[in-house]
């Protein structure tokens, strides 16, 4: 019972401050959320071996299109919270995905799972949009098609970014993420 009470207390909420983090990317460079103050940030929970992540980067142009459209106004970061030795984990595997998929944003390694747990991320890809004030504005699926091979008609992240950039609040701030389970360290 005590554990559940504790979890509820730290529950992530839309409109509240996004959990702070500082993680190293595949090149060893440190990235802190606090250093992005005043910017809109998109976090993508990432696993290069998950078919649902591959869908967004290899089978469709969903992520590339988002970065192309919003990259000059928004900071994109991928976060891999998988434990060392698990599917899609490790610096080398993620560096290879970054090269293969021509990602022009960093993949941050969270091998302890601390950041993933702070964001209550259970799936890859789970998407988070943090507004320029540092508050969580969107949490959920990238789009409305949970199949592993085709893009959805509605891109929830794009919709949230359009609304934030227009000075509006996000009309659909939470959706159900889909994909592979994050392989947290036990």
């Amino acid at each position: 019972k005590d554990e559940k009470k504790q979890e509820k207390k730290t529950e992530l909420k839309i409109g509240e401050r996004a959990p702070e983090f500082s993680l190293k990317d595949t090149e060893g460079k440190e990235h802190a959320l606090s250093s992005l103050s005043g910017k809109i940030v998109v976090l993508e929970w990432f696993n290069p071996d998950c078919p649902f992540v591959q869908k967004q980067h290899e089978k469709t142009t969903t992520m590339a299109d988002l970065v192309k459209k919003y990259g000059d106004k928004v900071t994109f970061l991928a976060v891999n919270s998988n434990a060392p030795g698990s599917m899609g984990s490790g610096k080398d595997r993620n560096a290879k995905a970054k090269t293969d998929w021509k990602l022009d944003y960093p993949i941050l390694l969270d091998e302890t799972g601390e950041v993933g747990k702070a964001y209550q991320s259970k799936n890859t890809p789970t998407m988070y949009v943090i507004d320029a004030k540092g508050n969580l504005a969107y949490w959920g699926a990238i789009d409305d098609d949970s199949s592993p091979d085709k893009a959805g008609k509605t891109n929830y992240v794009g919709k949230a970014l359009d609304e934030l950039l227009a000075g509006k609040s996000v009309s659909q701030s939470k959706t159900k993420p889909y994909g592979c389970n994050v392989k947290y360290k036990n």
Side-chain angles (χ1 to χ4, degrees):
K1 273 187 179 174
D2 290 341
E3 227 175 83
K4 273 193 176 162
K5 239 183 204 168
Q6 189 71 30
E7 238 176 70
K8 277 213 165 81
K9 200 184 238 184
T10 58
E11 193 175 332
L12 201 58
K13 286 195 174 74
I14 300 293
E16 289 186 2
R17 197 140 205 65
E20 177 54 44
F21 63 82
S22 184
L23 292 169
K24 285 189 173 151
D25 66 20
T26 53
E27 287 149 27
K29 185 175 176 237
E30 193 85 26
H31 297 266
L33 184 61
S34 59
S35 71
L36 300 170
S37 180
K39 295 182 173 138
I40 296 172
V41 179
V42 173
L43 300 178
E44 168 195 10
W45 249 259
F46 189 82
N47 170 354
D49 294 336
C50 171
F52 298 93
V53 172
Q54 291 169 354
K55 161 183 142 170
Q56 308 303 347
H57 292 279
E58 250 178 35
K59 295 179 180 167
T60 70
T61 57
T62 305
M63 280 307 296
D65 292 346
L66 279 172
V67 173
K68 197 162 144 191
K69 184 173 180 182
Y70 302 101
D72 58 335
K73 300 176 212 85
V74 173
T75 301
F76 286 83
L77 297 170
V79 180
N80 187 326
S81 294
N82 285 357
S86 66
M87 171 179 126
S89 70
K91 188 176 111 167
D92 295 343
R93 175 63 190 105
N94 286 274
K96 183 179 177 345
K98 184 175 170 28
T99 303
D100 291 351
W101 295 342
K102 297 173 179 62
L103 298 188
D104 58 359
Y105 55 96
I107 300 171
L108 310 183
L109 303 174
D110 172 36
E111 293 186 330
T112 65
E114 203 177 303
V115 177
K117 287 175 182 168
Y119 278 84
Q120 297 167 18
S121 184
K122 293 180 176 77
N123 307 89
T124 56
T126 298
M127 306 298 293
Y128 299 84
V129 178
I130 300 165
D131 69 19
K133 292 183 190 112
N135 296 323
L136 189 62
Y138 174 78
W139 171 13
I142 190 166
D143 63 23
D144 62 354
D145 189 323
S146 61
S147 77
D149 35 33
K150 58 184 203 289
K153 286 181 178 66
T154 302
N155 184 313
Y156 298 125
V157 176
K159 194 174 158 200
L161 291 173
D162 284 341
E163 290 170 340
L164 285 175
L165 291 166
K168 299 176 184 165
S169 57
V170 177
S171 57
Q172 191 166 11
S173 58
K174 199 164 180 192
T175 61
K176 186 174 175 27
Y178 62 84
C180 303
N181 289 338
V182 175
K183 317 293 187 262
Y184 286 112
K185 197 174 187 173
N186 291 338

